[in-house]
Amino acid sequence: MRAIGNFIDGRSIAGDSRRSGRVFDPNTGAQQAEVAFSTAGDVDAAVKAGLRAFPAWASLNPQRRARVMFAFKALVERDLDELAYLLATEHGKVRADARGDIQRGLEVIEFACGIPHALKGEFTEGAGPGIDVYSMRQPLGVCAGITPFNFPAMIPMWMFGIAIACGNTFVLKPSEKAPSVPVRLAELLLQAGAPAGVLNVVHGDKEAVDALLAHPDVRAVSFVGSSDIAQYIYSTGAANGKRVQAMGGAKNHGIVLPDADMEQVVRDLVGAAFGSAGERCMALPVVVPVGSKTADDLRERLVPEINRLRIGASTDPQAQYGPVITAGHRQRIEDYIRTGVDEGAELVRDGRGFTLPGHEQGFFIGPSLFDHVKRGMKSYHEEIFGPVLQIVRAESFEEALALPSEHQYGNGVAIFTRNGRAAREFARTVNVGMVGINVPIPVPVAYHSFGGWKRSAFGDTNQHGMEGVRFFTRLKTVTARWPEGDVGDQGFVMPTMR
Ligand code: NAD
């Protein structure tokens, strides 16, 4: 059995824990590796490695750190096929989607290649007589990232790409369900020229996470995962004096106005609801058609498209989506489908009980479609995170706008329409952090920033782009006086610029 260990100070290390987790191939349901769970001692070793590496790395000029990022990007691109295969057979997403996972992470690395520009400070010449004021952004020290199973490449790169380019060192605690690709990325960053200790990976569960949250030398914690854990990370990290950003779960709505291009909407919806088996925080699991005619038309067009979906092993190039991450997660999705039925929603298509011939033990589940889902239903209120699309009918634009605005989650939302004024009004007023206009999955490009509202994010700085740079640096402002001649007594009153 393959053993997956930590990566600390540039070396693979088995760790001293006797606890470990099972890593599956979701296509076959068979265990393919064993991952060692870190103790507080392992975490301390990783943080210490980061501390040792920090002074030299932080004082390297930003252009030289950027060169490491350029080299890292080239190495990841060289190994893209191998990494995508590893990711697909550990996570279950199809190969093209696995490549997309890595590619979207690389786009953040491309942004990090321009870090000298992003780190430039501000300067005011002549703020007073002989006085100049300038500000600079400096790295924090050792930063930590705790990531979910569903984007094993992209989300770690969101975090360490920016943090390390800014001059920090990093300890990554990836999901114990898909731990292999993050280790490969750390090995490649070392090969790209990052000194040992700049990027360390510790595996594990709550024990490792709690050790990071409690460690006095961890300056900042970036988290992405489910909302209850995000809130716990935010409050515990903040109580321990750390800077924290913690992204949580989602329930994204797609609003369909009567004038939308229905053919396009159906194609977009099917991809956004069922792609990656619905295991995306920017998936569109809720569709809100406005008016009963729009709803009936949409439903009629959706059913045959859903029936045509090809579910297959993640290694099947024809498959549109693969298995979910674990048997336990599949059970959770099936439980939500039962809840939806019990609550009185109409189950138009039932994906439960699906088996893929030749992969009977794999963690597959067919696509499900619900109609007449209502506010107040548990299956609507909570995140299912599976291939389940729910139709919530609205009578008016105002009612449709209120649904995502009043939902507990506020990650992403999309509106489909040809009416620019309605789209503009929607984008301006909806109480959600990321909005798509005729774009089903509005994940911002790397040089903008990613983050939801309400229970989808705790903390006030988003991921990557300039928000990421601000999160992983702190501002220092210098007021310097080089007067000509004697400036006299400064006195005891607060200095002002008169
Ligand atoms: P999760 O919350 O179970 O796990 C995330 C991380 O937290 C993992 O590294 C895990 O080991 C750790 N963890 C789990 N339980 C913990 C505990 N009790 N104490 C401390 N740490 C703990 O999430 P997941 O199932 O891996 O990922 C799916 C979730 O992530 C979904 O809710 C999805 O919406 C969300 N997600 C959000 C975003 C976003 O940017 N908003 C992006 C991707 C995924």
Side-chain angles (χ1 to χ4, degrees):
M1 181 71 59
R2 185 163 61 95
I4 303 169
N6 292 337
F7 189 79
I8 297 175
D9 214 7
R11 283 176 301 131
S12 300
I13 288 179
D16 61 9
S17 172
R18 265 171 236 115
R19 291 194 316 121
S20 60
R22 299 201 289 164
V23 180
F24 295 94
D25 176 349
N27 294 301
T28 62
Q31 185 181 353
Q32 57 163 319
E34 190 83 18
V35 59
F37 282 1
S38 301
T39 60
D42 298 324
V43 168
D44 183 55
V47 175
K48 292 256 166 63
L51 262 185
R52 282 193 300 275
F54 177 68
W57 182 247
S59 55
L60 207 61
N61 75 54
Q63 202 166 352
R64 290 185 59 191
R65 293 200 301 265
R67 281 189 199 128
V68 172
M69 291 296 158
F70 276 108
F72 174 65
K73 172 175 145 66
L75 291 176
V76 173
E77 281 169 346
R78 182 198 68 188
D79 293 352
L80 191 59
D81 284 339
E82 176 218 323
L83 290 165
Y85 179 81
L86 192 59
L87 199 157
T89 50
E90 213 168 71
H91 174 281
K93 62 177 77 177
V94 296
R95 206 100 73 95
D97 207 27
R99 288 174 73 96
D101 185 334
I102 299 164
Q103 189 58 44
R104 286 304 295 252
L106 276 185
E107 288 171 14
V108 174
I109 301 301
E110 286 166 357
F111 173 80
C113 289
I115 206 72
H117 180 67
L119 287 177
K120 283 191 306 196
E122 294 179 323
F123 188 90
T124 301
E125 186 245 324
I131 295 180
D132 300 325
V133 179
Y134 59 96
S135 62
M136 55 184 119
R137 304 212 67 97
Q138 296 190 323
L140 306 170
V142 183
C143 300
I146 300 154
T147 54
F149 78 81
N150 69 324
F151 279 98
M154 178 184 81
I155 294 178
M157 283 193 266
W158 280 0
M159 299 175 180
F160 77 69
I162 304 286
I164 289 175
C166 286
N168 300 285
T169 55
F170 205 83
V171 179
L172 173 68
K173 205 303 285 172
S175 170
E176 65 280 23
K177 292 174 189 145
S180 294
V181 169
V183 177
R184 288 287 298 125
L185 294 177
E187 289 168 353
L188 291 176
L189 192 74
L190 184 78
Q191 265 184 48
V198 166
L199 176 57
N200 307 280
V201 182
V202 291
H203 298 292
D205 56 1
K206 183 170 168 48
E207 186 178 341
V209 171
D210 284 344
L212 282 168
L213 292 173
H215 202 293
D217 292 318
V218 171
R219 297 277 168 249
V221 177
S222 181
F223 173 88
V224 176
S226 53
S227 290
D228 288 349
I229 311 294
Q231 189 166 13
Y232 166 75
I233 302 284
Y234 181 69
S235 52
T236 312
N240 290 340
K242 301 186 193 317
R243 187 177 286 196
V244 189
Q245 57 177 188
M247 276 60 197
K251 188 93 179 192
N252 306 325
H253 295 52
I255 312 300
V256 183
L257 298 191
D259 68 347
D261 174 347
M262 259 339 173
E263 247 175 63
Q264 186 64 46
V265 168
V266 169
R267 274 202 303 272
D268 284 352
L269 269 181
V270 170
F274 301 106
S276 200
E279 292 173 322
R280 290 186 185 132
C281 68
M282 288 296 274
L284 264 193
V286 176
V287 57
V288 184
V290 176
S292 53
K293 197 164 156 293
T294 315
D296 293 343
D297 183 19
L298 183 71
R299 171 173 163 168
E300 199 177 312
R301 289 168 186 260
L302 271 173
V303 173
E305 284 300 318
I306 295 173
N307 286 337
R308 258 199 292 278
L309 277 172
R310 182 174 166 131
I311 299 134
S314 58
T315 46
D316 171 358
Q318 306 300 320
Q320 286 164 301
Y321 80 80
V324 297
I325 186 78
T326 57
H329 187 52
R330 178 177 56 189
Q331 186 59 53
R332 188 173 166 272
I333 297 165
E334 293 189 345
D335 289 348
Y336 271 116
I337 296 173
R338 189 173 333 107
T339 302
V341 173
D342 292 347
E343 290 174 318
E346 182 194 354
L347 184 56
V348 180
R349 194 190 189 287
D350 188 355
R352 291 173 295 181
F354 173 90
T355 46
L356 184 70
H359 291 79
E360 286 75 8
Q361 303 306 313
F363 308 141
F364 293 92
I365 177 165
S368 294
L369 178 67
F370 274 106
D371 195 359
H372 300 287
V373 174
K374 301 263 188 291
R375 270 173 202 259
M377 289 183 178
K378 179 176 188 280
S379 59
Y380 168 68
H381 182 67
E382 295 181 5
E383 179 182 40
I384 299 175
F385 218 54
V388 181
L389 178 59
Q390 296 171 299
I391 302 177
V392 184
R393 293 169 175 239
E395 285 311 316
S396 63
F397 174 82
E398 290 70 27
E399 195 187 334
L401 172 68
L403 282 160
S405 294
E406 290 168 13
H407 199 278
Q408 62 163 335
Y409 294 116
N411 214 38
V413 70
I415 185 164
F416 300 93
T417 180
R418 290 184 167 100
N419 182 333
R421 199 153 52 85
R424 187 170 182 274
E425 179 62 8
F426 181 83
R428 194 180 67 79
T429 47
V430 71
N431 186 18
V432 170
M434 291 175 281
V435 181
I437 298 176
N438 297 315
V439 170
I441 304 182
V443 176
V445 290
Y447 44 95
H448 283 260
S449 299
F450 181 106
W453 287 5
K454 297 178 280 180
R455 284 189 62 74
S456 294
F458 302 85
D460 37 34
T461 343
N462 286 356
Q463 297 280 348
H464 64 70
M466 286 311 291
E467 289 268 294
V469 172
R470 279 189 278 276
F471 181 75
F472 286 115
T473 54
R474 53 186 175 169
L475 188 71
K476 183 178 280 181
T477 308
V478 180
T479 304
R481 186 173 63 169
W482 299 103
E484 281 179 25
D486 184 10
V487 290
D489 192 0
Q490 282 298 293
F492 294 92
V493 295
M494 186 67 186
T496 56
M497 296 292 179
R498 268 178 296 159

